[in-house]
Amino acid sequence: MYELYIANKNYSSWSLRPWVLLRELKIPFVEHLIPFGDAVRWDAFRKISPSGKVPCLIDGETVVWDSLSIAEYLAERHAAVWPTEPGARAWARSAAYMPRGVCPVGSSSIRPS
């Protein structure tokens, strides 16, 4: 079973991405919450994630960090992660890879055709 390490869901939208994906697709996982905080927490992040950041997904011996890398890893194992139709899949990936803080409204690069 997957193990997902995340930080506070209300402060870490990057942690929220794989959490929502796993929940919505009903993919079984164990959630480990490591709240943001002092240096002790940073050491806790470093023990599970090579980057020292969350989110981090552990699948046996495989460790995947970064929310989009986690989505791609899950897509290789679960068909429902990305839409099957190429145009819809391209739109979904464009929206998923959109940098934090960028508003998609009016952006022609992610508008479905």
PDB file of all heavy atoms in Angstrom, residues 5 34-35 38-49 52 54:
ATOM      1  N   TYR A   5       3.284  11.041   2.564  1.00  0.00           N
ATOM      2  CA  TYR A   5       3.704  11.979   3.598  1.00  0.00           C
ATOM      3  C   TYR A   5       3.363  13.382   3.125  1.00  0.00           C
ATOM      4  O   TYR A   5       3.762  13.797   2.028  1.00  0.00           O
ATOM      5  CB  TYR A   5       5.202  11.855   3.862  1.00  0.00           C
ATOM      6  CG  TYR A   5       5.560  10.581   4.585  1.00  0.00           C
ATOM      7  CD1 TYR A   5       5.701   9.393   3.882  1.00  0.00           C
ATOM      8  CD2 TYR A   5       5.719  10.577   5.963  1.00  0.00           C
ATOM      9  CE1 TYR A   5       6.013   8.216   4.547  1.00  0.00           C
ATOM     10  CE2 TYR A   5       6.036   9.396   6.634  1.00  0.00           C
ATOM     11  CZ  TYR A   5       6.178   8.223   5.912  1.00  0.00           C
ATOM     12  OH  TYR A   5       6.478   7.056   6.572  1.00  0.00           O
ATOM     13  N   ILE A  34       2.917  15.389   8.654  1.00  0.00           N
ATOM     14  CA  ILE A  34       4.037  15.998   9.372  1.00  0.00           C
ATOM     15  C   ILE A  34       3.807  17.511   9.295  1.00  0.00           C
ATOM     16  O   ILE A  34       4.102  18.124   8.273  1.00  0.00           O
ATOM     17  CB  ILE A  34       5.397  15.626   8.745  1.00  0.00           C
ATOM     18  CG1 ILE A  34       5.566  14.102   8.688  1.00  0.00           C
ATOM     19  CG2 ILE A  34       6.530  16.256   9.547  1.00  0.00           C
ATOM     20  CD1 ILE A  34       6.813  13.654   7.963  1.00  0.00           C
ATOM     21  N   PRO A  35       3.236  18.096  10.331  1.00  0.00           N
ATOM     22  CA  PRO A  35       2.918  19.532  10.279  1.00  0.00           C
ATOM     23  C   PRO A  35       4.164  20.382  10.083  1.00  0.00           C
ATOM     24  O   PRO A  35       5.250  20.022  10.543  1.00  0.00           O
ATOM     25  CB  PRO A  35       2.292  19.819  11.639  1.00  0.00           C
ATOM     26  CG  PRO A  35       1.902  18.490  12.180  1.00  0.00           C
ATOM     27  CD  PRO A  35       2.869  17.498  11.599  1.00  0.00           C
ATOM     28  N   ASP A  38       9.032  23.691  13.383  1.00  0.00           N
ATOM     29  CA  ASP A  38      10.432  23.986  13.723  1.00  0.00           C
ATOM     30  C   ASP A  38      11.423  23.066  13.006  1.00  0.00           C
ATOM     31  O   ASP A  38      11.062  22.243  12.176  1.00  0.00           O
ATOM     32  CB  ASP A  38      10.621  23.881  15.239  1.00  0.00           C
ATOM     33  CG  ASP A  38      10.177  22.526  15.775  1.00  0.00           C
ATOM     34  OD1 ASP A  38      10.176  21.546  15.009  1.00  0.00           O
ATOM     35  OD2 ASP A  38       9.832  22.451  16.966  1.00  0.00           O
ATOM     36  N   ALA A  39      12.680  23.206  13.354  1.00  0.00           N
ATOM     37  CA  ALA A  39      13.752  22.428  12.714  1.00  0.00           C
ATOM     38  C   ALA A  39      13.585  20.929  12.930  1.00  0.00           C
ATOM     39  O   ALA A  39      14.009  20.129  12.100  1.00  0.00           O
ATOM     40  CB  ALA A  39      15.108  22.886  13.233  1.00  0.00           C
ATOM     41  N   VAL A  40      12.970  20.545  14.032  1.00  0.00           N
ATOM     42  CA  VAL A  40      12.734  19.116  14.283  1.00  0.00           C
ATOM     43  C   VAL A  40      11.874  18.538  13.158  1.00  0.00           C
ATOM     44  O   VAL A  40      12.100  17.436  12.687  1.00  0.00           O
ATOM     45  CB  VAL A  40      12.059  18.910  15.660  1.00  0.00           C
ATOM     46  CG1 VAL A  40      11.693  17.460  15.873  1.00  0.00           C
ATOM     47  CG2 VAL A  40      12.979  19.402  16.774  1.00  0.00           C
ATOM     48  N   ARG A  41      10.904  19.298  12.695  1.00  0.00           N
ATOM     49  CA  ARG A  41      10.048  18.848  11.602  1.00  0.00           C
ATOM     50  C   ARG A  41      10.867  18.707  10.311  1.00  0.00           C
ATOM     51  O   ARG A  41      10.669  17.793   9.541  1.00  0.00           O
ATOM     52  CB  ARG A  41       8.890  19.822  11.364  1.00  0.00           C
ATOM     53  CG  ARG A  41       7.918  19.956  12.503  1.00  0.00           C
ATOM     54  CD  ARG A  41       7.144  18.677  12.724  1.00  0.00           C
ATOM     55  NE  ARG A  41       5.935  18.790  13.482  1.00  0.00           N
ATOM     56  CZ  ARG A  41       5.817  19.090  14.748  1.00  0.00           C
ATOM     57  NH1 ARG A  41       6.850  19.440  15.446  1.00  0.00           N
ATOM     58  NH2 ARG A  41       4.652  19.083  15.353  1.00  0.00           N
ATOM     59  N   TRP A  42      11.778  19.652  10.080  1.00  0.00           N
ATOM     60  CA  TRP A  42      12.624  19.595   8.882  1.00  0.00           C
ATOM     61  C   TRP A  42      13.419  18.298   8.863  1.00  0.00           C
ATOM     62  O   TRP A  42      13.530  17.629   7.842  1.00  0.00           O
ATOM     63  CB  TRP A  42      13.557  20.802   8.851  1.00  0.00           C
ATOM     64  CG  TRP A  42      14.478  20.794   7.678  1.00  0.00           C
ATOM     65  CD1 TRP A  42      15.798  20.484   7.689  1.00  0.00           C
ATOM     66  CD2 TRP A  42      14.158  21.073   6.323  1.00  0.00           C
ATOM     67  NE1 TRP A  42      16.323  20.568   6.423  1.00  0.00           N
ATOM     68  CE2 TRP A  42      15.329  20.931   5.563  1.00  0.00           C
ATOM     69  CE3 TRP A  42      12.988  21.442   5.667  1.00  0.00           C
ATOM     70  CZ2 TRP A  42      15.371  21.131   4.198  1.00  0.00           C
ATOM     71  CZ3 TRP A  42      13.030  21.645   4.301  1.00  0.00           C
ATOM     72  CH2 TRP A  42      14.206  21.492   3.586  1.00  0.00           C
ATOM     73  N   ASP A  43      13.944  17.920  10.015  1.00  0.00           N
ATOM     74  CA  ASP A  43      14.672  16.656  10.115  1.00  0.00           C
ATOM     75  C   ASP A  43      13.756  15.483   9.807  1.00  0.00           C
ATOM     76  O   ASP A  43      14.174  14.509   9.183  1.00  0.00           O
ATOM     77  CB  ASP A  43      15.291  16.489  11.506  1.00  0.00           C
ATOM     78  CG  ASP A  43      16.426  17.470  11.760  1.00  0.00           C
ATOM     79  OD1 ASP A  43      17.013  17.976  10.780  1.00  0.00           O
ATOM     80  OD2 ASP A  43      16.725  17.736  12.942  1.00  0.00           O
ATOM     81  N   ALA A  44      12.505  15.566  10.221  1.00  0.00           N
ATOM     82  CA  ALA A  44      11.532  14.506   9.929  1.00  0.00           C
ATOM     83  C   ALA A  44      11.286  14.407   8.424  1.00  0.00           C
ATOM     84  O   ALA A  44      11.196  13.303   7.878  1.00  0.00           O
ATOM     85  CB  ALA A  44      10.218  14.771  10.670  1.00  0.00           C
ATOM     86  N   PHE A  45      11.192  15.545   7.738  1.00  0.00           N
ATOM     87  CA  PHE A  45      11.014  15.539   6.279  1.00  0.00           C
ATOM     88  C   PHE A  45      12.205  14.868   5.600  1.00  0.00           C
ATOM     89  O   PHE A  45      12.057  14.088   4.681  1.00  0.00           O
ATOM     90  CB  PHE A  45      10.866  16.958   5.725  1.00  0.00           C
ATOM     91  CG  PHE A  45       9.614  17.678   6.137  1.00  0.00           C
ATOM     92  CD1 PHE A  45       9.600  19.053   6.226  1.00  0.00           C
ATOM     93  CD2 PHE A  45       8.435  17.005   6.422  1.00  0.00           C
ATOM     94  CE1 PHE A  45       8.464  19.746   6.589  1.00  0.00           C
ATOM     95  CE2 PHE A  45       7.287  17.679   6.787  1.00  0.00           C
ATOM     96  CZ  PHE A  45       7.300  19.057   6.873  1.00  0.00           C
ATOM     97  N   ARG A  46      13.399  15.195   6.050  1.00  0.00           N
ATOM     98  CA  ARG A  46      14.628  14.657   5.449  1.00  0.00           C
ATOM     99  C   ARG A  46      14.723  13.136   5.580  1.00  0.00           C
ATOM    100  O   ARG A  46      15.318  12.482   4.747  1.00  0.00           O
ATOM    101  CB  ARG A  46      15.844  15.288   6.109  1.00  0.00           C
ATOM    102  CG  ARG A  46      16.132  16.659   5.574  1.00  0.00           C
ATOM    103  CD  ARG A  46      17.445  16.570   4.825  1.00  0.00           C
ATOM    104  NE  ARG A  46      17.853  17.841   4.322  1.00  0.00           N
ATOM    105  CZ  ARG A  46      17.799  18.161   3.028  1.00  0.00           C
ATOM    106  NH1 ARG A  46      17.321  17.324   2.158  1.00  0.00           N
ATOM    107  NH2 ARG A  46      18.233  19.326   2.618  1.00  0.00           N
ATOM    108  N   LYS A  47      14.132  12.579   6.618  1.00  0.00           N
ATOM    109  CA  LYS A  47      14.182  11.131   6.828  1.00  0.00           C
ATOM    110  C   LYS A  47      13.354  10.368   5.799  1.00  0.00           C
ATOM    111  O   LYS A  47      13.643   9.212   5.514  1.00  0.00           O
ATOM    112  CB  LYS A  47      13.708  10.780   8.236  1.00  0.00           C
ATOM    113  CG  LYS A  47      14.704  11.160   9.300  1.00  0.00           C
ATOM    114  CD  LYS A  47      14.198  10.800  10.675  1.00  0.00           C
ATOM    115  CE  LYS A  47      15.198  11.280  11.721  1.00  0.00           C
ATOM    116  NZ  LYS A  47      14.698  11.083  13.075  1.00  0.00           N
ATOM    117  N   ILE A  48      12.319  11.008   5.253  1.00  0.00           N
ATOM    118  CA  ILE A  48      11.452  10.298   4.314  1.00  0.00           C
ATOM    119  C   ILE A  48      11.590  10.778   2.876  1.00  0.00           C
ATOM    120  O   ILE A  48      11.219  10.073   1.956  1.00  0.00           O
ATOM    121  CB  ILE A  48       9.963  10.377   4.750  1.00  0.00           C
ATOM    122  CG1 ILE A  48       9.512  11.821   5.007  1.00  0.00           C
ATOM    123  CG2 ILE A  48       9.723   9.551   5.985  1.00  0.00           C
ATOM    124  CD1 ILE A  48       8.725  12.391   3.920  1.00  0.00           C
ATOM    125  N   SER A  49      12.115  11.970   2.679  1.00  0.00           N
ATOM    126  CA  SER A  49      12.167  12.549   1.343  1.00  0.00           C
ATOM    127  C   SER A  49      13.577  13.043   1.015  1.00  0.00           C
ATOM    128  O   SER A  49      14.125  13.855   1.759  1.00  0.00           O
ATOM    129  CB  SER A  49      11.191  13.722   1.244  1.00  0.00           C
ATOM    130  OG  SER A  49      11.319  14.381   0.007  1.00  0.00           O
ATOM    131  N   GLY A  52      13.884  16.643   1.220  1.00  0.00           N
ATOM    132  CA  GLY A  52      13.583  17.273   2.505  1.00  0.00           C
ATOM    133  C   GLY A  52      12.270  18.013   2.483  1.00  0.00           C
ATOM    134  O   GLY A  52      12.004  18.850   3.339  1.00  0.00           O
ATOM    135  N   VAL A  54       7.836  17.853   1.400  1.00  0.00           N
ATOM    136  CA  VAL A  54       6.641  17.054   1.155  1.00  0.00           C
ATOM    137  C   VAL A  54       5.863  17.731   0.042  1.00  0.00           C
ATOM    138  O   VAL A  54       6.036  18.927  -0.191  1.00  0.00           O
ATOM    139  CB  VAL A  54       5.779  16.925   2.437  1.00  0.00           C
ATOM    140  CG1 VAL A  54       6.461  16.056   3.457  1.00  0.00           C
ATOM    141  CG2 VAL A  54       5.422  18.271   3.020  1.00  0.00           C
TER     142      VAL A  54
END
